[in-house]
Amino acid sequence: MHILQNELLSNHTTLRVGGVAETFVVVETQAELLDVLTTYKDTEILILGSGSNLVIADTNFHGVVIQIQTQGIDVETDACSGAMVRVQAGVNWDEFVSHAISNEWSGVEALSFIPGRVGATPIQNVGAYGQDVSQSIARVKTFDRVEEKVKTFSVSECDFGYRTSIFKQTPHRYVILE
């Protein structure tokens, strides 16, 4: 975990906009992420992945910015049912899609070149060419900031719709872990 003070957010967004974050925390494991979320539970939090397509005001942000850089792809394969893949929220989305294609896992191949991290994809239910992530997701592991506990949603509980989900409909409540 890396904690920075007075970090310029424009250095972390693809559009190069954003003021100064009072506290900027880079987490590399789920344990670090859960620790930061618990430590700063009464503070305004901005979750940041790769900063793609994110517009942040040039004014200062007096809360805590958490940049999620968790990594890891865990796979369970079965000759009959295929692969069940657990992907950490900080994994680059396009790199995951390339990894899936190279392993001949179907379901996300049309979603290449979408910027961002894996953790952002269920929030917006990203899609392209008639395919969206809700068609490939079995479950989403989150941290519920209201109940202060880890909660896993089945695909039916995610309330996916066109470019939306329960995570987008209840902003600031859930942080995607995997």
Side-chain angles (χ1 to χ4, degrees):
M1 176 179 350
H2 307 285
I3 301 174
L4 306 169
Q5 301 299 320
N6 300 315
E7 180 70 9
L8 190 58
L9 291 173
S10 62
N11 291 334
H12 301 277
T13 63
T14 58
L15 298 174
R16 298 294 177 229
V17 295
V20 173
E22 189 174 283
T23 304
F24 188 94
V25 183
V26 179
V27 295
E28 296 175 345
T29 68
Q30 271 190 35
E32 289 176 352
L33 177 55
L34 294 173
D35 183 48
V36 171
L37 290 168
T38 303
T39 300
Y40 294 103
K41 67 181 180 180
D42 297 322
T43 306
E44 185 176 2
I45 290 177
L46 172 65
I47 300 296
L48 182 67
S50 61
S52 59
N53 301 323
L54 180 63
V55 177
I56 299 176
D58 285 331
T59 58
N60 293 347
F61 182 77
H62 298 287
V64 176
V65 175
I66 304 172
Q67 186 175 50
I68 300 176
Q69 293 186 1
T70 55
Q71 298 296 304
I73 300 173
D74 296 315
V75 183
E76 295 175 26
T77 58
D78 183 300
C80 294
S81 60
M84 179 64 71
V85 184
R86 287 187 7 243
V87 187
Q88 295 296 309
V91 171
N92 176 286
W93 175 255
D94 194 48
E95 289 174 14
F96 166 66
V97 172
S98 294
H99 185 75
I101 292 168
S102 69
N103 284 283
E104 299 182 355
W105 304 329
S106 62
V108 295
E109 57 278 356
L111 304 178
S112 188
F113 297 110
I114 294 175
R117 305 261 170 105
V118 167
T121 62
I123 296 169
Q124 180 73 14
N125 188 21
V126 299
Y129 305 108
Q131 187 177 54
D132 59 54
V133 294
S134 72
Q135 297 164 324
S136 299
I137 290 176
R139 58 187 166 266
V140 178
K141 183 177 176 184
T142 70
F143 179 76
D144 183 334
R145 293 185 62 208
V146 172
E147 295 183 16
E148 297 183 27
K149 67 179 186 178
V150 173
K151 181 176 182 178
T152 301
F153 290 81
S154 68
V155 69
S156 63
E157 295 171 310
C158 292
D159 197 21
F160 286 121
Y162 181 76
R163 304 299 172 260
T164 193
S165 69
I166 191 172
F167 315 113
K168 185 175 181 179
Q169 296 162 12
T170 54
H172 312 293
R173 179 166 184 175
Y174 302 104
V175 176
I176 308 295
L177 303 175
E178 63 184 43

